[in-house]
Amino acid sequence: MSTLTPRPQALESLANRLQRLLSDGDVLKQFQSSRVQFSPSISYGRHFGPPQPTARQAAVMILLEHVDGEWSIPLTERPQHLPDHPGQISLPGGRLEHNETALGAAIREFNEELGTEKFPGEVVGELSPVYVYHSDYFVRPFLAVGAGPVEYVPCPHEVARVIRLPLTQLLDDVFAVDQVFQRGAASWTARTIHCEDVQIWGATAIMLGEFARLFADELPR
């Protein structure tokens, strides 16, 4: 497992490199196929098709922050009382409000869910959108780089706990094998990302998987 250690001016350098890559449409298309690896077998490719006319617009934020000598990404565990995806591990984010931009929603939801007064990062671009068939959301993921560490005060109604996913763990799990899931009579396979005592799969893993494959060679080591 590699160790990610920032070089002098690493934050500015990393932000510039990620911004350059995200502005290159050909590079994005080259790595979009890697998202299929994290698509659950039971989804039948629906994550990559056009959204339904009824789809609700949403946005999430992938924040790279430097904590205790390594890069990590803050994730949230959803409380069991939420109607959509209870108990699952998600990126901070949510539904767009009236006349709100996708980026504005990603930043607002990050601040509301994690209890930050000001967004603690520099937004460098946007990854490929994902249509979540089960909850009928069309999700746009944004990427930002922050110095960290940040003292989060999560909203208890929306966040059961904050989990930091080490970037080294994410890069290793991109090449992991699929796992079998079963609920009642239904069973399916999905590639998962491991963090602490939880497994990340579904749309969140699809977005994180694309990020990892796209930027693996660009991250400071």
Side-chain angles (χ1 to χ4, degrees):
M1 184 178 293
S2 58
T3 301
L4 302 177
T5 304
R7 296 188 295 268
Q9 299 181 329
L11 290 176
E12 180 180 359
S13 174
L14 177 59
N16 290 338
R17 282 182 289 162
L18 296 183
Q19 192 171 41
R20 172 175 52 81
L21 279 173
L22 285 171
S23 65
D24 189 330
D26 291 336
V27 171
L28 283 174
K29 290 178 182 178
Q30 176 184 353
F31 283 91
Q32 281 179 2
S33 60
S34 66
R35 303 162 77 212
V36 178
Q37 296 177 350
F38 283 92
S39 180
S41 60
I42 203 170
S43 69
Y44 309 115
R46 289 168 175 157
H47 286 303
F48 312 115
Q52 297 287 337
T54 58
R56 298 170 288 180
Q57 302 294 310
V60 298
M61 183 66 70
I62 299 174
L63 174 66
L64 275 173
E65 58 180 3
H66 194 247
V67 180
D68 297 331
E70 68 175 351
W71 296 98
S72 64
I73 298 170
L75 305 172
T76 64
E77 180 178 339
R78 297 173 63 82
Q80 292 293 337
H81 68 262
L82 293 181
D84 295 324
H85 311 288
Q88 291 190 14
I89 308 303
S90 302
L91 289 159
R95 186 174 180 176
L96 273 66
E97 295 184 350
H98 182 62
N99 290 333
E100 188 175 36
T101 66
L103 177 56
I107 293 175
R108 173 183 56 77
E109 287 283 351
F110 186 101
N111 291 336
E112 289 178 358
E113 290 185 2
L114 299 184
T116 51
E117 294 184 5
K118 181 180 179 182
F119 181 65
E122 174 189 353
V123 179
V124 296
E126 181 177 356
L127 297 175
S128 306
V130 175
Y131 175 52
V132 186
Y133 178 83
H134 175 70
S135 55
D136 198 25
Y137 272 109
F138 186 66
V139 183
R140 292 174 58 180
F142 292 87
L143 176 66
V145 178
V150 179
E151 188 68 32
Y152 295 121
V153 184
C155 171
H157 178 73
E158 298 184 86
V159 179
R161 61 170 168 160
V162 176
I163 299 171
R164 282 187 166 97
L165 170 63
L167 200 50
T168 50
Q169 181 68 53
L170 173 59
L171 295 179
D172 286 345
D173 280 357
V174 166
F175 304 100
V177 297
D178 293 348
Q179 179 172 329
V180 178
F181 289 81
Q182 185 151 5
R183 290 182 183 172
S187 63
W188 67 93
T189 60
R191 187 158 299 183
T192 62
I193 299 167
H194 298 79
C195 183
E196 297 183 10
D197 59 340
V198 299
Q199 295 175 324
I200 306 157
W201 64 284
T204 300
I206 289 172
M207 290 181 279
L208 289 173
E210 179 185 24
F211 160 75
R213 292 298 297 269
L214 182 61
F215 300 122
D217 293 335
E218 292 293 323
L219 295 169
R221 297 178 185 272

